[in-house]
Amino acid sequence: MIISVVSGKGGTGKTSIAINLALALEEGQFLDCDVEEPNAFLFLKPEITNQMDVQVSIPDIDTVLCSGCGACVKACSFHALAQAGNKILTFENICHGCSACWLVCPQKAIKEGKRSIGFIEKGQVKSLECIQGELNLKEPSAVPIIKKMKTLIDQKKTIIIDGPPGTSCPAVEAIKGSDFCLLVTEPTPFGLHDLKVVVEVVKQQGIPCGLVINRSQGDDQIAEEFAQKENLPILLTIPLEKEIAQLYSKGIPFGKVMPQWQHKFKLLLESIKAGDAS
Amino acid sequence: MKQLVVLSGKGGTGKTTITGSLAYLAGEEAIMVDCDVDAANLHLLVNYKLENREDFMGGKAIKIDNSRCNSCGLCSQLCRFDVLSVEMFPLKNNQLIPCEGCGVCARFCPKGAMTVQDIKNGQIYTSRSGQRWLVYAELDPGADASGKLVTEVRQRALAIEEKESKPYIIIDGPPGIGCPVIASLTGTDMALLVTEPTISGLHDLERILGLTESFSVKTAVCINRYDINAEISETIEKYCKQSGVEWVKRIPFDETVIKNLKMGQPVIKDETSVAGQIIREMWSQIAKSLVS
């Protein structure tokens, strides 16, 4: 079973909740798919056993064979190729690796090349397998890394995915194929606005979901009213507490040192797995 | 005219809260731009009147003419983005399938049955209150091309600037370091990075600082809620000094911030707010840095 933790708005507590859920697992996999700003390993501190490169396709132009005809430039929909006299210039950062240029080249002067855009690390914390991706600086697209991470999923296990913020391509890629989405919000106008969008994305994908209200100060009507309207079960409410914030700041999952919370995360996980949570 | 972008790497550190107050302080002198097109929130704080709303045709889709398609499946073999698969055939006539827009399938379809089309995948809004402007956008849920939309929104702001001639454009950026962040940062004069004293905040700050450095953009840092963990705040400040950051400001944890946010107004309006006072000082420092 794949459970994704998402939020739309950044900084609502996704990582914190995803990690606490993962630690409540007896055995399973944890994927930090926020590859632009991966933080989960700062908390889980797994022993890294494996690192792999993530590569994307780019054109590799043989300047001897190239006649400078410019067919590749015309075929590129992303302006990643340009013609300067008889030479073809490549802008690798904006190349989408679509293959148009090497397919159209009449001289067969372009081969499919590769370049790295980031990497994936694997590690272990007891019987929890931890996987984290990291996008290199200045790279625009996180999607290929998330796709590659998801090929490492072992469907027989329970999998927790820590998703990226937002609702565009990386977030959609992360939650695709999940069996359940845990939505994390904070009871503010910002939190509500972004929750509305993420609920739409999750519904588009047809994934059952439930809500966690984080940093509650006891007046959560704004989130509760929306949840009721959308038939969204509120599965957990976490108060705004200095102790929790301070533990987070030091990189300590609060469930690890606050047994009452460890228990609550175990129950939450069980109810999701039993299908009672949506 | 000078452009300031507010970024953070990590989400939820207080970018929009601070930008909302900057909007209030800069008043008629600045055009505000919300480039967090996945989760645009600034308009909830400034409440300007909507002046114009337009569709953003930034998406691409493939359309198939069934009278020509013979379901040979070549397109699905060629597609590098897993958009088309044999199981989808036969496709509904004239069905639009959102895609990357590379056009490889259309180019090589032996029957010429496919065309690439522009589709709407977001909206751009221009709002104002007198001479105060805010341009923002909303990407359709789950849509692609957030970087393109950011560029488009910034162009709208520049067009207003050209007519009204304002000294500043202030951009509220998205979290992360990917394509919409790069599009928000490109060509700005200064970046204000809002962080928090947590190990995640520090880690993400290091990455976003690497990015602003590589773009040679003048950078200042604001540590929000610095007293949550004074030790990490210390580390952040040291790190900033080593990295050539212009200046660092600290905002303490202040309950008036969340109180005003819940009321939907920028904290700067609350005269009792300590955070508001510091944001005020920060704005005068930003204005100085922008002209130096």
Side-chain angles (χ1 to χ4, degrees):
Chain A
M1 179 181 206
I2 306 176
I3 304 165
S4 287
V5 185
V6 285
S7 73
K9 178 167 169 20
T12 55
K14 266 184 313 298
T15 301
S16 196
I17 286 156
I19 285 162
N20 278 304
L21 267 188
L23 292 173
L25 270 180
E26 295 290 316
E27 201 186 350
Q29 281 181 314
F30 176 86
L31 273 71
D32 185 352
C33 286
D34 185 3
V35 305
E36 291 183 39
E37 298 291 12
N39 286 330
F41 279 18
L42 299 171
F43 294 81
L44 291 168
K45 303 183 178 75
E47 199 179 309
I48 308 293
T49 51
N50 197 349
Q51 188 177 0
M52 58 194 110
D53 211 22
V54 180
Q55 297 187 325
V56 292
S57 296
I58 46 157
D60 177 4
I61 304 175
D62 183 331
T63 49
V64 180
L65 289 176
C66 173
S67 68
C69 71
C72 54
V73 177
K74 285 194 202 95
C76 180
S77 299
F78 308 105
H79 310 292
L81 293 166
Q83 195 161 15
N86 256 348
K87 275 184 76 181
I88 304 295
L89 306 173
T90 312
F91 303 103
E92 294 183 351
N93 271 358
I94 50 176
C95 170
H96 289 219
C98 75
S99 78
C101 57
W102 56 86
L103 290 176
V104 299
C105 177
Q107 309 296 324
K108 304 255 177 293
I110 309 179
K111 275 194 321 217
E112 180 173 356
K114 295 278 178 199
R115 78 186 180 92
S116 287
I117 59 159
F119 58 90
I120 296 171
E121 285 178 324
K122 259 169 111 173
Q124 201 80 24
V125 178
K126 291 181 191 153
S127 49
L128 181 72
E129 189 186 356
C130 306
I131 301 166
Q132 176 171 286
E134 188 167 325
L135 181 70
N136 291 342
L137 287 184
K138 295 211 269 182
E139 285 300 337
S141 180
V143 172
I145 300 183
I146 299 173
K147 271 193 179 164
K148 176 113 186 239
M149 288 175 76
K150 293 185 75 176
T151 63
L152 304 174
I153 283 180
D154 178 355
Q155 287 282 3
K156 292 191 291 292
K157 295 182 176 162
T158 302
I159 297 112
I160 310 280
I161 292 180
D162 184 11
T167 50
S168 60
C169 15
V172 174
E173 197 58 49
I175 65 169
K176 227 183 246 173
S178 295
D179 300 293
F180 190 86
C181 278
L182 196 58
L183 313 174
V184 185
T185 190
E186 56 173 45
T188 65
F190 289 180
L192 175 67
H193 177 269
D194 301 344
L195 175 64
K196 283 180 183 165
V197 190
V198 84
V199 164
E200 245 182 275
V201 175
V202 172
K203 287 195 171 163
Q204 272 175 13
Q205 301 275 325
I207 305 169
C209 54
L211 189 64
V212 175
I213 299 177
N214 195 13
R215 297 198 198 102
S216 162
Q217 291 175 297
D219 52 345
D220 305 331
Q221 295 96 321
I222 187 166
E224 286 164 358
E225 276 168 22
F226 175 75
Q228 197 175 21
K229 208 183 88 212
E230 291 287 319
N231 257 325
L232 208 61
I234 297 170
L235 303 175
L236 191 66
T237 300
I238 302 169
L240 178 70
E241 251 178 43
K242 209 167 181 184
E243 191 184 354
I244 293 177
Q246 280 171 340
L247 286 168
Y248 175 84
S249 80
K250 294 179 208 156
I252 302 167
F254 65 93
K256 223 173 168 176
V257 289
M258 299 167 94
Q260 72 275 31
W261 283 105
Q262 188 177 33
H263 181 65
K264 283 184 185 174
F265 281 109
K266 277 221 158 84
L267 290 179
L268 173 60
L269 189 66
E270 275 163 27
S271 76
I272 294 173
K273 281 168 83 172
D276 304 336
S278 54
Chain B
M1 186 273 300
K2 299 283 183 190
Q3 298 195 54
L4 170 77
V5 61
V6 184
L7 293 169
S8 70
K10 178 165 170 22
T13 56
K15 266 186 310 297
T16 305
T17 300
I18 289 172
T19 317
S21 287
L22 294 181
Y24 183 81
L25 290 166
E28 298 184 357
E29 295 207 298
I31 296 162
M32 305 303 299
V33 192
D34 191 345
C35 286
D36 188 0
V37 298
D38 281 21
N41 290 151
L42 189 56
H43 64 283
L44 302 172
L45 274 189
V46 300
N47 272 318
Y48 297 165
K49 203 171 148 259
L50 192 62
E51 182 118 311
N52 183 40
R53 166 189 163 144
E54 55 185 306
D55 285 345
F56 170 62
M57 302 294 288
K60 298 280 180 190
I62 201 81
K63 195 167 92 175
I64 295 166
D65 177 352
N66 261 359
S67 64
R68 294 186 178 185
C69 172
N70 63 356
S71 298
C72 71
L74 180 65
C75 53
S76 71
Q77 286 165 34
L78 289 175
C79 178
R80 294 277 177 135
F81 307 101
D82 310 323
V83 171
L84 297 160
S85 67
V86 189
E87 297 87 70
M88 294 164 80
F89 292 105
L91 290 151
K92 275 185 225 142
N93 207 16
N94 292 327
Q95 184 187 352
L96 285 171
I97 306 161
C99 71
E100 197 88 2
C102 69
V104 168
C105 57
R107 179 179 292 271
F108 291 99
C109 174
K111 298 288 174 192
M114 317 186 80
T115 41
V116 179
Q117 286 199 347
D118 289 334
I119 52 167
K120 172 198 168 280
N121 65 353
Q123 278 165 111
I124 300 173
Y125 304 89
T126 307
S127 64
R128 71 187 282 193
S129 163
Q131 266 308 303
R132 294 166 180 247
W133 297 82
L134 167 68
V135 191
Y136 63 102
E138 281 176 334
L139 193 69
D140 288 347
D144 210 336
S146 52
K148 258 201 249 172
L149 182 51
V150 166
T151 306
E152 208 54 44
V153 174
R154 288 186 61 192
Q155 272 164 8
R156 292 295 179 286
L158 284 172
I160 298 172
E161 199 280 325
E162 207 158 274
K163 267 198 248 154
E164 310 283 335
S165 95
K166 304 271 184 188
Y168 309 109
I169 288 180
I170 300 177
I171 301 163
D172 191 7
I177 57 157
C179 115
V181 174
I182 293 171
S184 303
L185 178 62
T186 307
T188 56
D189 301 284
M190 182 176 181
L192 174 67
L193 309 182
V194 182
T195 187
E196 59 176 36
T198 63
I199 55 158
S200 313
L202 173 61
H203 174 258
D204 296 352
L205 177 69
E206 288 173 14
R207 282 170 63 81
I208 189 80
L209 255 177
L211 193 69
T212 59
E213 250 169 56
S214 74
F215 275 76
S216 311
V217 173
K218 192 184 286 183
T219 304
V221 168
C222 166
I223 311 174
N224 199 7
R225 304 184 281 257
Y226 81 87
D227 44 352
I228 289 274
N229 190 325
E231 210 179 303
I232 298 181
S233 286
E234 226 25 74
T235 313
I236 291 176
E237 236 172 283
K238 261 190 216 144
Y239 182 82
C240 288
K241 275 201 188 117
Q242 286 164 10
S243 315
V245 164
E246 287 237 325
W247 45 264
V248 180
K249 272 269 175 202
R250 293 171 169 216
I251 298 178
F253 180 82
D254 178 352
E255 295 211 346
T256 62
V257 173
I258 184 103
K259 200 180 92 195
N260 283 281
L261 173 59
K262 284 188 175 176
M263 284 155 50
Q265 69 171 23
V267 65
I268 197 84
K269 281 193 176 174
D270 186 337
E271 280 172 10
T272 65
S273 168
V274 181
Q277 198 45 49
I278 296 170
I279 296 173
R280 203 176 286 274
E281 290 164 21
M282 202 155 64
W283 171 238
S284 61
Q285 208 150 351
I286 289 167
K288 252 187 253 159
S289 296
L290 275 172
V291 291
S292 71

